[in-house]
Amino acid sequence: MASGSGGLAKPRFPAVSGEWIWGVHAVEAALSNPARPALRRLLATPDRARDLERRFGQLKRLEMMDAASMARLLPPGAAHQGLALEGPEPDPVDLEDFAPEPGAVLLMLDQVTDAGNVGAILRSAAAFGARGVILQERRAPRLSGALAKAAAGAVDILPVSRTVNLSRALERLSDLGWRAIGLDGGAERDLSEVLDGGPVVLVLGSEGEGVRRLVAEHCDETARIPMPGGFESLNVSAAAAVALYEAARPRR
């Protein structure tokens, strides 16, 4: 086994803020991703270390330590499940890497800043077969920490593109053959009515402000998620899951 095979290791230096991921699904997905940049540290309790080495073979940077020592290296309240990894997040992809094929779906998030929500959206996007997610360069959380835990491994499965200007990104995607639909509770038509089976970008905004005006103006259409229950208040991650389900349905 790696460096901790003779006993439980004592932490050698403090955690680097924003670069840790933790939890079984998140860490195992990271280790399975050949495109992820080289990790700096891999921490595991003895039982988890044995599980990792049965699956991945000998891991050079693996350090064994007890759960309490690991928790001291991570943000307060991190539910690490006996596994944590420190290293750069996956490299972003270019918009041109998304192929505008029939039925292809992308998500674009406009000022959705809550890490838990973004992580849950990535998880849903991976589950429903989305081709990727587009985030803002500066107003979106890092693909680590609580986001990676909520994503349950989707950070290393789903391509993510980051862009400074969402409106310009929509212009470029339009040139590439994508059609953009902005989700808006006040829109006249339901999402099911405007989807046509072609390559589509679903644009979701923050829960308070929604999709910003300039971004909405660069969408081909706006659409709503019908809520016959009369309680029109969906968390943005729940709205994303519903929209992804609708978009994944086969259309003629």
Side-chain angles (χ1 to χ4, degrees), residues 179-184 187-203 219-226 243 246-247 249 251-252:
R179 176 169 168 259
I181 299 175
L183 274 293
D184 180 356
E188 294 184 1
R189 302 175 69 193
D190 291 350
L191 180 59
S192 60
E193 298 178 64
V194 301
L195 290 167
D196 60 7
V200 65
V201 185
L202 300 177
V203 185
C219 293
D220 297 284
E221 294 197 57
T222 59
R224 67 188 179 195
I225 296 173
E246 184 60 48
R249 291 174 55 200
R251 285 176 167 78
R252 296 179 181 178

Side-chain angles (χ1 to χ4, degrees), residues 110 165-168 170 211-219:
D110 180 19
N165 189 305
L166 295 182
S167 297
R168 290 179 183 173
L170 287 173
V211 178
R212 289 173 296 165
R213 179 185 58 80
L214 188 59
V215 176
E217 288 175 355
H218 283 79
C219 293

